Amino acid sequence: MLTTVIAVLGTLAGALVSGLLQHRAARSDRADARGEQLRRDRMDAVTALAVAVSDHRRSMWNRRNAELTGAPAARIEELRDEAHRTRSAITDPAVRLRLLIADEAVRAAAVEATEATYRMRDAADVAGLQSMRRAALSAHDDFVNVAGAYLT
């Protein structure tokens, strides 16, 4: 009888230990999955912001170049509308980035890439516009490099 009780207790203890190990493994798997999902979400936010800033930079180039070179008013108005759409498209990924990435270097680089593009509207002449475009491209590359280093 005593051997039966010991055998039952041993079986129950084994089942308990096995259950605890399975629970811990499942919890670890869930934590890994959440971590990987967060990394993908962060990558998506960085990529979406980089694309939106690139689109707006192109739009700002087209708009300001048309203004500086005397394009017809209808064309300038069309390009202005496009610039408003592309600027608005920056909002969503910029907010997602701020919510998902607390790193100040990444946030500062994102802000600089965005603002460097916005500053293109202040170009006084085509040479100034080209210079501002180069600065915006450089800020964009810096943002991608800083974000990439953070994400690795």
Side-chain angles (χ1 to χ4, degrees):
M1 169 90 151
L2 182 60
T3 51
T4 304
V5 170
I6 291 173
V8 168
L9 289 176
T11 302
L12 290 174
L16 179 63
V17 168
S18 176
L20 288 173
L21 289 174
Q22 286 177 346
H23 175 71
R24 184 178 181 137
R27 195 167 88 197
S28 176
D29 288 346
R30 285 191 306 270
D32 289 347
R34 278 192 308 270
E36 183 56 33
Q37 182 61 46
L38 178 59
R39 185 180 182 288
R40 277 193 304 271
D41 290 346
R42 287 173 171 165
M43 184 81 74
D44 289 346
V46 166
T47 303
L49 183 59
V51 168
V53 168
S54 291
D55 289 346
H56 189 57
R57 185 179 57 248
R58 177 193 42 79
S59 179
M60 288 301 298
W61 168 266
N62 290 336
R63 173 190 165 192
R64 193 65 185 133
N65 188 53
E67 291 170 341
L68 293 170
T69 58
R75 177 69 177 145
I76 291 172
E77 188 62 32
E78 178 184 309
L79 291 170
R80 186 175 294 128
D81 290 344
E82 175 65 17
H84 288 301
R85 281 190 296 278
T86 58
R87 182 177 176 137
S88 178
I90 290 174
T91 303
D92 174 75
V95 169
R96 282 191 291 133
L97 186 133
R98 287 187 57 86
L99 294 174
L100 292 169
I101 299 177
D103 185 79
E104 288 302 318
V106 175
R107 286 179 166 197
V111 167
E112 179 53 28
T114 303
E115 289 181 356
T117 300
Y118 292 164
R119 285 191 291 270
M120 290 173 63
R121 73 175 169 260
D122 298 328
D125 54 31
V126 174
L129 181 60
Q130 290 171 339
S131 175
M132 290 175 164
R133 180 178 176 271
R134 282 191 300 274
L137 281 166
S138 178
H140 178 271
D141 290 345
D142 289 345
F143 162 61
V144 171
N145 290 336
V146 169
Y150 170 77
L151 291 170
T152 56

